[in-house]
Amino acid sequence: MSQSPEKVFVSYSWDSLEHQQWILELVNKLRDEGYDANFDRGITSTSTVNLNQMMIEHMRDDDYIIMVLTDKYTAKANGFEGGVGFETLLSLPIIQQNLDKLIILIKQPDYVKKNIPFHLQGINYLDFSNPENFDERFEELVYRLQKVQMFELKPIGQKKVRQPLKEIVTAANTIVKDLKIPKLNPPTDLDKDSFIQENFQLILNGLDEVLNVVKSENSNFHFQKENLSGSKTVYAFYLNGQNRSNLKIWLGSFFGGNKQIQFSTGRYINESNDNSINGSVHVEVDENFNFSLSMPMNMFSNSKNLSFEDVVKEIYTHHIYPYLK
């Protein structure tokens, strides 16, 4: 059974016929987006209604209230005049109890430099004052109604702890900024192991992010993740409820050497036996002692100077995705 569309009531002042036409077009665009949007003239044109009861019911019961601010709206709101004044009174408990229900649009050019109703000051708004930007602002409005984050933010990385500075940088020692200064202390085994361990967790976080996107776009895909220890994790992938493949990824080493990330894939994997692997991720150190990752067993593409994001893409593209088709 389909869910009823969310209801949106538009509060505005009768500034002019042109302004009322703008409100009508806004309401219709919202209806095109799947919202049960309406305004007073859309309601009163079909039946005789008690205006106060109509405003109370929509302000109280609708999912969202859009207030379109102009100079005349502000004057009526501050003076509690007419329908705008009555809706102002009705909006006061909403501001205190459910502020997300209110969405403020500014319609008049340079409106911010003029007046905002006293009870709405300090609340963020969408600026519809420039007609040329209407489509862009309307898209922001739809994001707001859908409660969807408009801009994708990166996952939170691992905090890099700063150490106290040993000297104050002056203009004199900026001379060296263009010179090639060698690093004469090679990284230790501890440095390499710490780097691979940090990237192990970043790779797991990256795989989780990719798999959650696949799951959100494919209702018949599911995955399970089990952390066997702080250094070993197993994923199981299901399509239509049937296990298609598994991935075991862990921190290991060969013959007591430096730590490396190892992984194996397939319909059957032995959680306790780490002798069988499909790939590995190693630490690379360049001539300037900078760290990067490498996948020496990777036959599909470049295997050196990789970031953890590159490793995530390689594992997903060549060791997970083929089993899901």
Side-chain angles (χ1 to χ4, degrees), residues 10-194:
V10 179
S11 171
Y12 70 105
S13 59
W14 287 26
D15 293 13
S16 64
L17 291 176
E18 179 185 6
H19 183 56
Q20 293 176 51
Q21 179 64 30
W22 190 92
I23 297 296
L24 173 61
E25 293 173 359
L26 175 67
V27 167
N28 282 330
K29 282 186 69 68
L30 289 170
R31 295 179 73 87
D32 287 341
E33 287 287 339
Y35 293 92
D36 184 3
N38 217 330
F39 69 129
D40 58 353
R41 297 202 65 179
I43 298 167
T44 59
S45 64
T46 58
S47 60
T48 301
V49 298
N50 182 309
L51 295 177
N52 288 341
Q53 179 181 346
M54 179 269 293
M55 287 186 281
I56 290 172
E57 289 176 347
H58 284 279
M59 294 287 287
R60 180 192 64 199
D61 299 335
D62 284 10
D63 298 290
Y64 293 100
I65 307 299
I66 294 178
M67 293 181 166
V68 182
L69 305 189
T70 60
D71 276 345
K72 291 184 179 180
Y73 188 102
T74 295
K76 291 179 179 180
N78 287 339
F80 300 102
E81 300 174 9
V84 170
F86 188 54
E87 289 171 357
T88 296
L89 291 172
L90 296 174
S91 70
L92 296 179
I94 297 175
I95 292 173
Q96 292 181 326
Q97 300 169 15
N98 187 13
L99 186 58
D100 281 345
K101 181 173 180 174
L102 295 182
I103 301 177
I104 312 302
L105 308 189
I106 290 182
K107 172 68 166 55
Q108 192 159 318
D110 299 325
Y111 188 86
V112 176
K113 300 176 183 177
K114 299 179 182 179
N115 298 309
I116 289 179
F118 180 79
H119 70 296
L120 297 178
Q121 291 183 13
I123 299 177
N124 65 305
Y125 58 85
L126 295 175
D127 186 356
F128 277 76
S129 60
N130 187 348
E132 295 181 359
N133 295 335
F134 179 87
D135 290 340
E136 179 181 344
R137 295 295 176 260
F138 183 79
E139 189 70 10
E140 291 183 33
L141 173 59
V142 174
Y143 269 89
R144 170 70 176 79
L145 289 168
Q146 293 184 4
K147 295 182 179 179
V148 174
Q149 186 169 289
M150 191 167 186
F151 304 101
E152 183 178 354
L153 302 179
K154 288 185 175 182
I156 299 175
Q158 187 166 350
K159 184 184 296 183
K160 299 179 178 65
V161 179
R162 267 59 173 181
Q163 300 297 328
L165 299 176
K166 296 181 180 179
E167 60 181 5
I168 299 175
V169 178
T170 64
N173 56 25
T174 59
I175 297 173
V176 303
K177 68 179 183 179
D178 296 323
L179 299 179
K180 188 174 182 180
I181 306 300
K183 296 180 180 179
L184 302 178
N185 294 317
T188 65
D189 289 339
L190 177 60
D191 295 329
K192 297 175 185 177
D193 288 348
S194 297

Side-chain angles (χ1 to χ4, degrees), residues 304-316:
K304 292 188 175 182
N305 297 320
L306 304 177
S307 66
F308 80 89
E309 292 98 334
D310 296 326
V311 174
V312 170
K313 293 176 183 177
E314 289 295 321
I315 293 176
Y316 172 75

Side-chain angles (χ1 to χ4, degrees), residues 196-263:
I196 202 71
Q197 191 158 353
E198 174 185 342
N199 278 271
F200 175 70
Q201 189 58 54
L202 291 173
I203 290 169
L204 291 180
N205 293 342
L207 287 171
D208 291 348
E209 181 180 354
V210 171
L211 293 170
N212 279 316
V213 171
V214 176
K215 181 179 178 181
S216 68
E217 297 185 4
N218 299 274
S219 60
N220 61 336
F221 170 77
H222 297 277
F223 74 95
Q224 293 181 339
K225 175 184 177 183
E226 182 180 1
N227 295 315
L228 301 180
S229 67
S231 58
K232 184 186 295 187
T233 297
V234 173
Y235 292 88
F237 309 117
Y238 298 89
L239 203 59
N240 299 315
Q242 302 299 316
N243 178 255
R244 297 298 295 269
S245 182
N246 304 282
L247 167 69
K248 182 176 69 171
I249 181 168
W250 69 96
L251 282 172
S253 64
F254 283 127
F255 308 112
N258 289 117
K259 287 183 180 179
Q260 56 185 248
I261 300 168
Q262 300 171 345
F263 61 89

